[in-house]
Amino acid sequence: VQLQASGGGLVQAGGSLMLSCAASGRTFSWYGMGWSRQAPGKEREFVAATKWSGDSTRYAESVKGRFTISRDNAENTVYLQMNNLKPEDTAVYYCAADRIRRRSSPVVESGPYNAWGQGTQVTVSS
């Protein structure tokens, strides 16, 4: 599977951005999708995940209530709407695809994911 993330940029604290990730190469609707991020000098953090069907999502505590993951299976695209952004959200954001078909629940950790996009930079200024 190939993943192409886009939508990053520079935004002031309190602002919003929407990231998109277009997938190709396998049946998108069969696989859970997620977003992770990595800030300079920090470990990668998995922030959001959606079940293959789109009817269940999970979030890291650091973004809960501010970020929303969604997917459009007809468009083979997963989104990450980020609101009330904070300087600590500054990172390169990566989308990822689950290795298991039709997993019963979304997983907010890197282990289940075996395909990663190239990353898109998000910078939040204070």
Side-chain angles (χ1 to χ4, degrees):
V1 61
Q2 291 77 47
L3 303 174
Q4 181 73 36
S6 61
L10 173 64
V11 63
Q12 288 188 330
S16 298
L17 280 175
M18 175 176 275
L19 306 183
S20 300
C21 175
S24 62
R26 67 180 183 187
T27 305
F28 177 77
S29 61
W30 289 354
Y31 297 89
M33 297 292 295
W35 288 93
S36 68
R37 66 186 182 185
Q38 188 162 23
K42 295 187 177 182
E43 292 188 357
R44 186 172 291 196
E45 177 189 21
F46 216 92
V47 297
T50 175
K51 186 178 174 180
W52 57 273
S53 55
D55 59 356
S56 181
T57 57
R58 287 185 178 171
Y59 300 91
E61 286 298 321
S62 58
V63 306
K64 197 173 291 185
R66 300 187 297 121
F67 289 12
T68 302
I69 187 171
S70 62
R71 64 190 297 159
D72 185 336
N73 284 344
E75 296 294 328
N76 290 354
T77 302
V78 61
Y79 304 96
L80 186 68
Q81 175 67 46
M82 304 184 295
N83 297 329
N84 190 22
L85 283 160
K86 304 176 181 180
E88 51 264 42
D89 294 318
T90 295
V92 178
Y93 284 71
Y94 301 89
C95 58
D98 197 338
R99 70 179 72 236
I100 299 296
R101 188 184 296 183
R102 291 177 174 156
R103 189 184 298 273
S104 59
S105 298
V107 181
V108 189
E109 59 183 54
S110 298
Y113 298 86
N114 68 343
W116 298 84
Q118 86 289 2
T120 184
Q121 175 71 47
V122 172
T123 303
V124 184
S125 62
S126 57

